[in-house]
Amino acid sequence: MAIDPIPFLTKYASFPSVSTDSAYSAGMKGARDYVKHALAGLGFEVEEVATPKHPIMLAERGPDRDDVPHIVIYGHYDVQPADPFELWKSPAFEPEVRDGRLYGRGTADNKGPQAVQLTALSRLLEKHPDLPLRITFLIEGEEEMGSPSFPGFLEKYADRLSKADMILVSDTGSPGTEQIVITTGLRGMVGMEVTLTGPAVDLHSGVNGGPVLNPIQALATLCASLHDGDGRVNVPGFYDAVGEPLQWEREELARLPGTEEQYRDLLGVPGFLSPGGATPFELVRFFPTLEFNGIGGGYQGEGSKTVIPSKAFVKITCRLVPDQEEDDIVAKVKAMLLERCPPEVSIEVKVDKGGSPYYVAPPGRPNTASDLSPVFARACAAAELAIEGAFGKKPLYLREGGSIPIIRDMKEKTGLDSLMIGLFTPRDNLHAPNESFELDMMEKGINAYEDILYRMAYPAD
Amino acid sequence: MAIDPIPFLTKYASFPSVSTDSAYSAGMKGARDYVKHALAGLGFEVEEVATPKHPIMLAERGPDRDDVPHIVIYGHYDVQPADPFELWKSPAFEPEVRDGRLYGRGTADNKGPQAVQLTALSRLLEKHPDLPLRITFLIEGEEEMGSPSFPGFLEKYADRLSKADMILVSDTGSPGTEQIVITTGLRGMVGMEVTLTGPAVDLHSGVNGGPVLNPIQALATLCASLHDGDGRVNVPGFYDAVGEPLQWEREELARLPGTEEQYRDLLGVPGFLSPGGATPFELVRFFPTLEFNGIGGGYQGEGSKTVIPSKAFVKITCRLVPDQEEDDIVAKVKAMLLERCPPEVSIEVKVDKGGSPYYVAPPGRPNTASDLSPVFARACAAAELAIEGAFGKKPLYLREGGSIPIIRDMKEKTGLDSLMIGLFTPRDNLHAPNESFELDMMEKGINAYEDILYRMAYPAD
């Protein structure tokens, strides 16, 4: 019997599967068991692969034959923390339908897309119980914590996975149901935490203020040195490997609905930076960043405490684009941090490995890899037709600003490329209070997915 | 019967009189009642003056006659918060003698000096019950929160206080028992809290990173702009009113024991700034600062959270020297903050009024005020002899880096100057864990204070 997607997702999203907080281990188990049960119901053989943290669900069904395409479908059952809870209109883990959306943590990222995929498959299997398609579901539980166990899992399972032809993923975004985007590139990411230490302990800023270089001041100066007045990253060699977007990419981007003003209003910023004259949409998709995700030091409470703090820190992440490589960028940024750190403070830089960028051009584009898998090419064609059929408009092929490091890892370890169909939108409030998934997106997504899988299974039709 | 200083201070410092935290109201009342009882025991008429927050103890004794000097002795019964408690070797509010020091929050700042003053007076009164000296003890309970009720108190009591001749204060520092300092100047202070706002909510740094000016980056650049490479404050007009120290002040400073290397080791800093070639000791005492006391924004927990924060803030205080005025400096710094804030973020500046600097030169120096009170001049002479007698060396007259805004307020409202005798030292860990008061300083301080008060009462002897 086909899955009923709204009740399915309502129940799936009711499990508080927050991977970063051990207090939610019951929620993790609940979500895992629930999706395992659903997969088993569709005839999958489900394996729960233990990892140092949260198990990975590995499920397979369908004929294991060379003439049958083998698709890996990747997703994750864990969700972002839901706090601050008080900002939710309905409880984060009691999903509720309002105004055509299902509200709840994880409804869009990433349980909703899984509901789409499983429902589509269940409908298709009802009509074609002997579907000539081998499918491996790979649903992990650590995506929201940076997939720390995934490389270890890949080491062990790379041989088995590399027998597949490609990966299907819906963990990226589209502007809305009026325009679906197939993501051709993900930015890479690397993190650094920089701590400056001045005096051994916090000092009285009156008694000792003047000769002591305040670590906050040193940190501000160091951070300020990392961009130029235009907003470009001011680290020698940072842009060395960055290629210009190709003409066809610019053309796809030009078809993207939405104006700069609408984007500005959506984010609520007074204005945008425009280094090198690039538009906001180009900057997000085609160029790297060096971003400060957090800064802290000294007294942060109400009122004042007149100290010269002993320490101050900043958390930095760089988003990388082709052909930047993680290690190279880390080395360059770190060298500048050390070189520019004044001698009156000491510096510690902790590197938090992320991943290099990922890129795959669809067939027929000037930058398509010569070894693009024929099944991937077929999937692109299927997706174009299916998406046009379900949503009324062809998809756009665009790079995206976010990072899913494991997509590149899977390419490196198994050779598989990922076809990424964006099912969530900027209105879904990912990683924020009142996350939701649009029901219209869900239904059209199910139709598209059913059609894609059908076309993959029966290419002759 | 004379006060026994060690048990007196042990008990006084056992009351957790943290003024900034309402959870300590019992500790505040305990300390207040304890000192009230002590004052009454010495024959003072004690008045507990209610304020919006913590009462001020106003106590008077001695003949109210024109030919009898009238001295106000100022102190405070409140203490700094004691956290982090785990860094204390013995509990913060269970004072304990170790290695010639009494350890406990408030033992040096400011309960120890009060123990010195009260013990000295009790000994003197035992010998001279009819001491021809009028003394007003003024012991407030909000010094560690910036004395917010003090201006209101002064409005009401200025007439009465202005009948006195001078103020005696021991809430400043000396290098140690080997060299006592009489403080001739205190820096003024003014605080500002600057908040920059970019996007309406925290954004995903992958999805939206590139065109958005990160508020942390904007704040770093803004903060970095406030000093030049030399460490001088880079705000036009900031130094306009700053006078060079006079020759006699430099000579006094040259007599101060301790080397730059020792100071560096004491603070545990890798090195010192030296704007304009000034020494660390000159910078602390003679020059103004613009200091960052706290900074915050974005994610500060463990690991990473890849956001572009909506907001970032910094807490600034400026320490001012003669003849800088608070309002002028606020206007200049604020103007630069607004001017230099980039248009891609919005800025809010909250001003936290502090106070202008205070200065009094002892008699006979080129910059002595022509209207210096004769009783103040006599007190200087008495202090010089008494301190030489008790500590074996004349005091130095030096300005100090800290701020006690009410000293300037009292000068403005009552005309009274303050003779500030430093009884705590850099080894006392003020405002930090393991605060202590040296017992040798206590005993010599008592002897000096007894002698000063005696000489003030019997100038002919």
Side-chain angles (χ1 to χ4, degrees):
Chain A
M1 211 181 64
I3 289 172
D4 193 354
I6 298 179
F8 176 85
L9 179 54
T10 302
K11 179 76 182 169
Y12 192 15
S14 73
F15 298 104
S17 48
V18 178
S19 51
T20 51
D21 188 341
S22 56
Y24 288 97
S25 62
M28 289 296 288
K29 184 169 181 347
R32 203 158 56 229
D33 288 349
Y34 184 72
V35 78
K36 181 156 72 175
H37 181 77
L39 285 162
L42 294 177
F44 280 84
E45 237 177 77
V46 190
E47 191 179 338
E48 194 171 316
V49 181
T51 76
K53 284 186 177 136
H54 302 294
I56 292 173
M57 313 303 302
L58 186 63
E60 288 190 320
R61 86 174 302 285
D64 189 4
R65 295 197 325 252
D66 281 353
D67 64 328
V68 168
H70 183 177
I71 301 171
V72 176
I73 300 182
Y74 166 85
H76 58 92
Y77 63 88
D78 65 327
V79 301
Q80 278 277 313
D83 51 298
F85 288 99
E86 66 277 13
L87 297 185
W88 287 77
K89 275 185 205 146
S90 54
F93 296 110
E94 296 173 25
E96 179 181 296
V97 172
R98 292 197 305 276
D99 305 326
R101 293 183 159 270
L102 182 63
Y103 284 85
R105 172 56 86 226
T107 49
D109 181 13
N110 170 252
K111 289 171 175 171
Q114 283 165 66
V116 166
Q117 292 159 336
L118 289 167
T119 304
L121 183 62
S122 73
R123 290 186 189 171
L124 191 58
L125 286 173
E126 236 181 11
K127 299 170 202 158
H128 306 276
D130 298 321
L131 193 72
L133 202 57
R134 185 162 179 82
I135 297 179
T136 301
F137 263 93
L138 181 53
I139 306 184
E140 69 153 318
E142 302 178 3
E143 201 273 346
E144 300 296 359
M145 52 197 300
S147 305
S149 302
F150 209 83
F153 164 81
L154 273 184
E155 286 298 328
K156 270 172 86 176
Y157 286 81
D159 282 352
R160 186 163 145 195
L161 289 169
S162 62
K163 286 183 189 135
D165 296 297
M166 62 169 292
I167 304 166
L168 249 181
V169 182
S170 279
D171 199 21
T172 52
S174 287
T177 49
E178 72 283 8
Q179 181 61 66
I180 295 301
V181 164
I182 293 178
T183 295
T184 54
L186 295 161
R187 293 200 282 195
M189 183 164 79
V190 60
M192 274 165 269
E193 181 158 342
V194 181
T195 305
L196 301 189
T197 305
V201 296
D202 289 3
L203 299 178
H204 189 295
S205 71
V207 175
N208 297 297
V212 178
L213 176 57
N214 187 316
I216 296 175
Q217 184 182 329
L219 186 66
T221 307
L222 193 57
C223 289
S225 83
L226 296 176
H227 294 84
D228 65 17
D230 217 28
R232 275 172 70 90
V233 178
N234 182 31
V235 170
F238 189 82
Y239 292 95
D240 278 359
V242 178
E244 281 292 307
L246 294 182
Q247 186 55 30
W248 73 264
E249 292 188 301
R250 289 195 191 275
E251 284 164 14
E252 291 283 287
L253 186 58
R255 288 192 198 101
L256 198 66
T259 66
E260 204 167 307
E261 286 62 39
Q262 286 167 337
Y263 187 38
R264 201 189 55 208
D265 290 349
L266 177 74
L267 304 188
V269 292
F272 284 124
L273 295 171
S274 183
T279 70
F281 305 112
E282 291 169 343
L283 288 167
V284 162
R285 293 168 189 275
F286 302 138
F287 294 98
T289 65
L290 185 156
E291 207 74 69
F292 304 108
N293 305 121
I295 193 166
Y299 179 69
Q300 303 199 8
E302 256 195 69
S304 71
K305 189 175 177 191
T306 52
V307 292
I308 299 173
S310 170
K311 288 174 192 296
F313 71 90
V314 68
K315 289 171 186 274
I316 297 175
T317 49
C318 296
R319 299 276 174 173
L320 312 179
V321 299
D323 293 312
Q324 292 179 305
E325 289 294 331
E326 190 186 358
D327 293 342
D328 177 60
I329 293 298
V330 166
K332 285 170 173 165
V333 173
K334 199 173 164 182
M336 277 308 103
L337 290 168
L338 300 180
E339 183 181 315
R340 292 173 187 168
C341 178
E344 293 86 2
V345 294
S346 63
I347 183 169
E348 187 198 5
V349 181
K350 261 193 343 206
V351 176
D352 185 14
K353 299 276 274 179
S356 290
Y358 173 74
Y359 188 76
V360 60
R365 310 296 167 134
N367 48 344
T368 304
S370 57
D371 61 347
L372 194 71
S373 129
V375 173
F376 186 90
R378 194 204 293 176
C380 287
E384 284 173 35
L385 290 168
I387 287 168
E388 189 172 11
F391 291 91
K393 210 168 170 189
K394 271 192 197 310
L396 294 176
Y397 286 104
L398 277 172
R399 299 195 232 163
E400 148 153 342
S403 308
I404 314 177
I406 58 104
I407 298 290
R408 158 104 175 205
D409 290 348
M410 289 198 287
K411 172 71 181 175
E412 279 181 358
K413 301 289 183 205
T414 69
L416 303 184
D417 275 305
S418 292
L419 182 71
M420 296 175 269
I421 301 173
L423 292 186
F424 49 66
T425 80
R427 287 178 297 281
D428 293 353
N429 281 348
L430 262 63
H431 293 207
N434 302 307
E435 177 179 347
S436 67
F437 194 51
E438 199 179 344
L439 299 183
D440 187 40
M441 175 66 91
M442 180 150 80
E443 199 48 47
K444 287 174 174 160
I446 292 167
N447 293 338
Y449 254 97
E450 187 181 344
D451 197 16
I452 291 169
L453 296 175
Y454 176 83
R455 287 170 189 275
M456 299 289 293
Y458 303 104
D461 287 21
Chain B
M1 212 179 66
I3 289 171
D4 193 354
I6 298 179
F8 175 85
L9 179 54
T10 301
K11 180 76 183 170
Y12 192 16
S14 73
F15 297 105
S17 48
V18 178
S19 51
T20 48
D21 187 340
S22 56
Y24 289 96
S25 61
M28 289 296 288
K29 184 168 179 350
R32 203 159 55 228
D33 288 349
Y34 184 71
V35 78
K36 180 156 71 173
H37 181 76
L39 285 162
L42 294 176
F44 280 84
E45 239 177 75
V46 190
E47 191 179 338
E48 195 171 316
V49 181
T51 77
K53 285 188 175 132
H54 302 295
I56 293 172
M57 313 302 304
L58 187 63
E60 288 191 318
R61 88 174 302 286
D64 190 4
R65 296 198 323 253
D66 282 355
D67 63 329
V68 168
H70 182 176
I71 301 171
V72 176
I73 300 182
Y74 166 86
H76 58 92
Y77 64 87
D78 66 325
V79 301
Q80 278 276 313
D83 50 298
F85 287 99
E86 66 276 16
L87 297 184
W88 287 78
K89 276 185 204 143
S90 54
F93 296 110
E94 297 172 26
E96 178 181 297
V97 172
R98 290 196 307 274
D99 306 326
R101 294 183 158 270
L102 182 63
Y103 284 85
R105 173 55 87 223
T107 50
D109 180 15
N110 172 251
K111 289 170 176 171
Q114 283 165 67
V116 166
Q117 292 159 336
L118 290 166
T119 304
L121 183 62
S122 73
R123 290 186 188 171
L124 190 59
L125 286 173
E126 239 183 6
K127 299 170 201 158
H128 306 276
D130 298 322
L131 192 75
L133 203 57
R134 186 162 178 82
I135 296 178
T136 301
F137 263 94
L138 181 53
I139 306 183
E140 70 152 319
E142 301 178 3
E143 201 272 347
E144 299 296 359
M145 52 197 301
S147 306
S149 302
F150 209 83
F153 164 79
L154 273 184
E155 287 297 331
K156 269 170 87 174
Y157 287 81
D159 282 352
R160 186 163 144 194
L161 289 168
S162 62
K163 286 181 189 138
D165 296 299
M166 63 168 292
I167 304 166
L168 250 181
V169 182
S170 279
D171 199 22
T172 51
S174 288
T177 50
E178 72 283 9
Q179 181 61 66
I180 295 301
V181 164
I182 293 179
T183 295
T184 55
L186 295 161
R187 293 199 282 195
M189 184 165 79
V190 61
M192 274 165 266
E193 181 158 341
V194 182
T195 305
L196 300 189
T197 305
V201 296
D202 289 3
L203 299 178
H204 189 295
S205 71
V207 176
N208 298 296
V212 178
L213 177 57
N214 187 315
I216 295 175
Q217 183 181 329
L219 186 67
T221 307
L222 193 58
C223 289
S225 83
L226 296 175
H227 294 84
D228 65 18
D230 218 27
R232 277 173 68 91
V233 179
N234 181 30
V235 170
F238 189 82
Y239 292 95
D240 279 358
V242 178
E244 281 291 307
L246 294 183
Q247 186 55 31
W248 74 264
E249 292 188 300
R250 290 195 190 273
E251 284 164 13
E252 292 283 285
L253 185 58
R255 288 194 197 99
L256 198 66
T259 65
E260 203 168 306
E261 287 63 39
Q262 287 167 336
Y263 187 39
R264 201 189 56 208
D265 291 348
L266 177 74
L267 303 188
V269 293
F272 284 123
L273 296 171
S274 181
T279 70
F281 305 111
E282 291 170 342
L283 289 167
V284 162
R285 293 166 189 275
F286 302 138
F287 295 99
T289 65
L290 185 156
E291 207 74 68
F292 304 109
N293 305 122
I295 194 166
Y299 180 69
Q300 303 200 7
E302 256 196 70
S304 71
K305 189 174 177 192
T306 51
V307 292
I308 299 173
S310 170
K311 288 174 193 296
F313 71 90
V314 67
K315 289 171 185 275
I316 297 174
T317 49
C318 296
R319 299 278 174 170
L320 313 178
V321 299
D323 293 314
Q324 291 179 304
E325 289 294 332
E326 190 185 356
D327 293 342
D328 177 60
I329 294 298
V330 166
K332 285 169 174 165
V333 174
K334 198 172 164 183
M336 277 307 103
L337 290 168
L338 299 181
E339 185 182 313
R340 292 172 187 168
C341 178
E344 293 86 2
V345 295
S346 63
I347 182 168
E348 186 198 4
V349 181
K350 262 194 341 210
V351 176
D352 184 13
K353 298 276 276 180
S356 291
Y358 172 75
Y359 187 75
V360 60
R365 310 298 167 133
N367 49 342
T368 304
S370 56
D371 61 347
L372 195 71
S373 130
V375 173
F376 186 90
R378 196 204 294 179
C380 287
E384 284 173 34
L385 291 168
I387 287 168
E388 188 172 11
F391 291 91
K393 209 168 170 187
K394 272 193 197 308
L396 293 175
Y397 286 104
L398 277 172
R399 302 194 230 161
E400 148 154 341
S403 308
I404 315 177
I406 58 103
I407 298 291
R408 158 105 174 203
D409 291 347
M410 289 198 287
K411 172 70 181 172
E412 279 181 358
K413 301 287 183 205
T414 68
L416 303 183
D417 275 305
S418 292
L419 183 70
M420 295 174 270
I421 301 173
L423 293 185
F424 50 65
T425 81
R427 287 178 298 280
D428 293 352
N429 281 349
L430 263 64
H431 294 206
N434 303 306
E435 177 178 347
S436 67
F437 194 51
E438 199 179 346
L439 299 182
D440 187 40
M441 176 66 91
M442 178 150 80
E443 199 48 46
K444 288 174 175 161
I446 292 167
N447 293 338
Y449 254 95
E450 186 182 344
D451 197 16
I452 291 169
L453 296 175
Y454 176 84
R455 286 171 189 275
M456 298 289 293
Y458 304 103
D461 286 22

